[in-house]
Amino acid sequence: MSEPKSNERMEKIVSLCKRRGFIFQSSEIYGGINGFWDYGPLGAELKRNVKDYWWRSMTQRRDDVVGLEATIIMHPKIWEASGHTSTFSDPMVDCLLTKKRFRADQVDPQDGIIYFFTGGRDAATGKESPESYSVLLAAGKNPESARKVARQFYAARGVENAELQGERTEAVQGSTRYNPENGSLLTEPRPFNLMFKTYVGPVESEDNVAYLRPETAQAIFAQFSNVLAVARQKIPFGICQIGKAFRNEINPRNFIFRSREFEQMELEFFIKPDDAAAKSVNAGEPGTEPTWGWEQWHKYWVEERVKWYESIGLGRDVLDFHWQAKEELAHYARATVDILYKFPFGTQELEGIAARGNFDLSQHQKFSGKSMEYFDEETKSRFIPHVIEPSAGVDRLILALLCNAFNEEEVTDEKGNKETRVVLKFHPRIAPVKVGIFPLLKNKPELVKKALQVRDLLRDSMTVYYDDTGAIGRRYRRQDEAGTPYGVTIDFDTLGETPSLADTVTLRDRDTMKQERMAIADLLPFLLGKIR
RNA sequence: GCGAGCGUAGCUCAGUCUGGUAGAGCAUCACCUUGCCAAGGUGAACGUCGAGGGUUCGAAUCCCUUCGCUCGCUCCA
């Protein structure tokens, strides 16, 4: 079985994250807090690189996307319009026998006879349970099967072979209080609100309830008109945002994969409805973007996003794709593609690319009373734009990058001993530290001086890590675990011991462990070429 | 939220059954030594044994509560 192995791999990754300062548990000195994680020195750099690169790719390098940075707490009506207030607080019920959980509104109504019991008692041991319980039995079925379920219920409470107390029956129609699978009574419906609630202002009253946003998308819709008015953009165009979002998850799992406070990178790309696009002047010429319908735009963004993942080292071989079936789609979506990564704990979603129709803008128009219509000069038509939404989770992407980079290699040293080299093979674009700078020996001031000069030469352009402690091999390995793609060593040849090699250094490649000599003057252009 | 397992140094773990006041390896830091892949030597620092309470002359060890982590179920609009 590969199951224990993958857990072992995950444990090694979690351990490395802590040991090297990528990720710590939040509030650890107080025992931690479930579902919250902090990024340490290397993790903070890694995350910043990922977000910066996304931002550059999505907006700075494009003409048709602009940015937004909105607040986390917004007007509570936003969540009514989006549907979060109702759908994010489904009452849940649990089966008292099997503990299986249902959404209260999804329990099928049933008819039949309810068998009530006031308790169970074991005549042999004298043990008893005074808990009342009931079972719903479909009409015409054997009453013994209801009693059997009840005896299981009392057995689970420590009363074996219970004699059932106080049996009585009652016919019902359309009850949703019983588990359709076994007839057992369910718990009372309990609300599960996944939005974090707070109060704006000092008084905690129902009038000033507010929520921490459960997604960043709604802020973009809410500010659509303002951005449209100032950005000098014509549809199709997009608004993107990076920011924190909060969900009071019932059960956070898998390290930082599902946490209660997390960060999203979202684009809302606004397009013409298909009928408006069809009226465009270039209609009939395939591939002319203003005429594209939603399906073409949806495919376009899936492809763009996959290329982006490839450009930071997550190739198609480690990704997977899931085109959601009609019945899986959320209420707002016409189509959704999930981009998944093959994590050690299973293949899980990194990003969802949804075609949302005009659901969100229509809802905000309805709830706010403000028009969300766009006037298209070209076709002289007025419409509420439709939207394609690529929405990625930053933290789960970080986890995917860590899992993908994590390698344990068998290496043989000069004495023939085998040992394990742990190396994080990050793409240089996102690696937290780009280059390590090492004087071969610390106790030779000329080497140290020269090394510090090289450090200063590179430091303005990238993250560098200067290290002069211990043996050179140890320093290389230390940077391997941090995922630093290059190591530069200043040796006696750099100082001119071999005149032809003066002012050259060795450049060590993390992945191949090979070294080449390079002139100091060539370092900066070479490294910039790799990390941009 | 339910069930099971786990929580001892930065990391990996021993010690818990059978109460007597905490250990190993690795890592870290300093100095010495260094000539390119975790070399060697000397020394140092690091734990109220997840937290709180109880039993006891005495608790890492027994009991209760709680928090956290892992797995299964559930949930993931």
Side-chain angles (χ1 to χ4, degrees), chain A residues 268-307:
Chain A
E268 304 300 332
F269 195 79
F270 299 97
I271 58 173
K272 297 181 186 184
D274 285 5
D275 54 350
K279 290 181 208 148
S280 294
V281 287
N282 293 325
E285 296 173 37
T288 49
E289 293 175 15
T291 71
W292 278 9
W294 70 266
E295 283 181 295
Q296 282 148 307
W297 276 115
H298 189 225
K299 288 204 182 90
Y300 167 82
W301 276 110
V302 172
E303 192 53 32
E304 281 295 293
R305 296 302 303 141
V306 173
K307 282 191 222 155

Side-chain angles (χ1 to χ4, degrees), chain A residues 100-388:
Chain A
K100 184 167 173 174
R101 172 163 294 161
F102 302 88
R103 266 170 62 170
D105 60 344
Q106 286 181 352
V107 178
D108 291 329
Q110 302 162 84
D111 304 338
I113 314 285
I114 303 175
Y115 285 75
F116 290 96
F117 305 97
T118 57
R121 184 167 188 284
D122 184 348
T125 63
K127 273 193 182 170
E128 61 183 321
S129 165
E131 235 178 297
S132 56
Y133 181 63
S134 55
V135 181
L136 178 73
L137 196 64
K141 282 188 108 181
N142 187 345
E144 262 319 301
S145 65
R147 296 183 188 117
K148 191 177 160 196
V149 171
R151 275 192 287 270
Q152 285 172 5
F153 171 83
Y154 290 112
R157 277 147 188 80
V159 183
E160 299 295 336
N161 306 312
E163 287 173 19
L164 302 170
Q165 313 288 308
E167 176 176 320
R168 68 182 175 85
T169 61
E170 192 181 315
V172 286
Q173 293 201 320
S175 172
T176 57
R177 299 282 303 115
Y178 295 87
N179 183 345
E181 290 163 17
N182 59 14
S184 171
L185 182 66
L186 300 167
T187 59
E188 290 294 319
R190 287 175 290 190
F192 271 71
N193 197 328
L194 295 189
M195 283 197 290
F196 280 97
K197 201 184 214 179
T198 187
Y199 300 91
V200 174
V203 181
E204 293 189 8
S205 78
E206 281 306 304
D207 298 336
N208 55 17
V209 166
Y211 299 96
L212 306 191
R213 64 184 179 197
E215 63 172 34
T216 55
Q218 292 307 320
I220 295 176
F221 297 123
Q223 291 289 12
F224 171 74
S225 298
N226 277 334
V227 175
L228 183 65
V230 301
R232 307 192 61 238
Q233 289 283 350
K234 289 195 176 93
I235 281 178
F237 83 101
I239 305 174
C240 70
Q241 172 165 234
I242 298 177
K244 288 285 182 90
F246 303 80
R247 292 182 196 182
N248 208 347
E249 295 286 355
I250 294 165
N251 199 349
R253 278 286 162 92
N254 289 327
F255 199 30
I256 59 170
F257 181 80
R258 184 184 303 152
S259 48
R260 290 185 163 125
E261 173 173 341
F262 57 99
E263 202 152 13
Q264 292 183 306
M265 305 187 290
E266 290 194 310
L267 166 69
E268 304 300 332
F269 195 79
F270 299 97
I271 58 173
K272 297 181 186 184
D274 285 5
D275 54 350
K279 290 181 208 148
S280 294
V281 287
N282 293 325
E285 296 173 37
T288 49
E289 293 175 15
T291 71
W292 278 9
W294 70 266
E295 283 181 295
Q296 282 148 307
W297 276 115
H298 189 225
K299 288 204 182 90
Y300 167 82
W301 276 110
V302 172
E303 192 53 32
E304 281 295 293
R305 296 302 303 141
V306 173
K307 282 191 222 155
W308 188 82
Y309 285 110
E310 284 179 317
S311 73
I312 54 171
L314 296 178
R316 287 170 208 250
D317 55 324
V318 296
L319 298 177
D320 208 343
F321 303 91
H322 176 64
W323 291 76
Q324 286 190 13
K326 280 236 154 43
E327 55 273 19
E328 289 177 87
L329 290 174
H331 57 281
Y332 52 72
R334 292 185 164 189
T336 297
V337 175
D338 293 333
I339 299 179
L340 311 135
Y341 174 75
K342 294 166 185 164
F343 286 99
F345 48 82
T347 300
Q348 299 275 351
E349 182 186 343
L350 285 183
E351 169 159 353
I353 299 159
R356 292 173 78 120
N358 64 3
F359 174 82
D360 300 276
L361 287 179
S362 300
Q363 286 292 103
H364 286 300
Q365 175 165 298
K366 191 165 129 196
F367 277 73
S368 69
K370 305 286 194 304
S371 171
M372 294 293 157
E373 283 188 331
Y374 172 84
F375 180 70
D376 183 28
E377 295 281 357
E378 189 200 353
T379 58
K380 307 292 178 208
S381 62
R382 203 174 281 281
F383 53 79
I384 295 179
H386 288 222
V387 70
I388 306 294

